[in-house]
Amino acid sequence: MEKDILISQFLKLFPEFNDRYIEHMEFNQEFLGHVFFGDEVSTHVERLLQEHSDIEQIEKFFSFFEWMALHSDLYIVQILSTTILYNFGGDADVLYKADRYMGVHTKKLSVEIEDLHTGKHFS
């Protein structure tokens, strides 16, 4: 059910991803949230942040990410933190640019995932 909520909300806001979603479903025979959001969404938003050309689109994505961060379902929050935000952390410039668009809850998750990524909790 949570997968259905996530993808339906996403496609409602970003109908331009509908064809990629259909391809994903045909290839995988099911919706794999971490794969779809890692391969399609995260890489697209990273590109937008690198080019820094479509601010309105960037803000729209980060508004959706804040919705994900506030969601009560752990699956949705995990896709945001361990797939999308973790990917952003792989490029310091992308993470720096992303930070200014993050909502309070998205930023909190980003800090937590970066602390894990850098091993801060294991020092």
Side-chain angles (χ1 to χ4, degrees), residues 62-70 77 80-81 84-86 88 95-115:
F62 279 91
S63 178
F64 178 73
F65 296 159
E66 188 71 2
W67 172 85
M68 291 175 75
L70 287 166
V77 176
L80 174 62
S81 62
I84 298 169
L85 297 175
Y86 183 83
F88 291 168
L95 185 60
Y96 175 78
K97 289 176 181 176
D99 184 71
R100 70 177 88 155
Y101 297 103
M102 289 181 192
V104 172
H105 297 90
T106 306
K107 193 173 291 209
K108 182 178 183 285
L109 285 174
S110 179
V111 168
E112 290 172 3
I113 207 70
E114 284 307 302
D115 285 350

Side-chain angles (χ1 to χ4, degrees), residues 30-63:
E30 65 179 316
F31 177 65
L32 304 173
H34 288 280
V35 174
F36 181 79
F37 278 88
D39 291 349
E40 301 296 338
V41 179
S42 179
T43 55
H44 179 76
V45 176
E46 282 182 50
R47 215 173 7 256
L48 287 173
L49 288 166
Q50 288 167 343
E51 296 168 1
H52 210 252
S53 59
D54 192 344
I55 304 306
E56 185 177 325
Q57 185 77 340
I58 292 170
E59 289 173 344
K60 187 176 174 183
F61 272 106
F62 279 91
S63 178

